[in-house]
Amino acid sequence: MNQETVRSFSLLLSATPRGARLARRFTTEQVRSWGLPLDPDRAEHIVAELAANAITHGRVPGRDFRLTLYVIGGTLRIEVTDTRGDRRTLHPQHPGPADESGRGLVIVEALSDRWGVTPGRPPRKTVWAELNFVPQPPPNAMLTPTPNPALTGPRILPSR
């Protein structure tokens, strides 16, 4: 039977710059504590863009946003859920060199293996991104190799 380890982390944060900053920090620490074989900065950059969008474009006064991270097999899924469900279709914009904003989803698209938007119970929507990695076997699953006597030759004990 194939049993995959599922790990999850979810946190409700204020839709403020402080909440977005905390989302980035929690992501980095969670990825490190899980020991995932991927660069935590990559996940942090994705969360930075999704959280910034949640507090800028998805913010409704008095409502928070949710950060959810989970791992199934060899995929880390990052979700940021905000309470502004009226903006469900998101497309990366390609701003000009002089534009000061509008690159967030372009960055998410470049750093993630997949991303998208899922409508939630009104008035929510979730913007998600996935990162693939090669899962490492758990430490207790690793076997210690036993020496092959045919390859090591006879064992000679010292004489007294």
Side-chain angles (χ1 to χ4, degrees), residues 82-138:
D82 65 47
T83 54
R84 182 129 182 231
D86 58 333
R87 301 187 71 176
R88 290 192 180 154
T89 55
L90 302 175
H91 303 284
Q93 299 174 1
H94 296 281
D99 292 338
E100 294 182 8
S101 65
R103 292 174 181 79
L105 292 178
V106 174
I107 293 170
V108 170
E109 185 175 59
L111 292 176
S112 66
D113 294 301
R114 288 167 301 286
W115 75 278
V117 181
T118 304
R121 274 192 14 231
R124 294 168 190 84
K125 74 170 172 311
T126 299
V127 184
W128 55 268
E130 293 180 341
L131 301 174
N132 295 333
F133 61 90
V134 177
Q136 302 296 316

Side-chain angles (χ1 to χ4, degrees), residues 12-66:
L12 199 59
L13 297 158
S14 64
T16 63
R18 181 177 185 271
R21 186 172 53 253
L22 287 171
R24 292 191 315 266
R25 288 184 179 171
F26 280 120
T27 297
T28 300
E29 290 308 310
Q30 195 61 55
V31 169
R32 284 187 180 141
S33 75
W34 283 336
L36 301 181
L38 60 85
D39 181 6
D41 290 342
R42 188 172 160 208
E44 181 185 6
H45 288 308
I46 291 170
V47 169
E49 296 304 330
L50 296 182
N53 283 348
I55 69 167
T56 304
H57 307 294
R59 184 174 188 273
V60 174
R63 295 185 186 165
D64 299 328
F65 74 95
R66 178 171 296 281

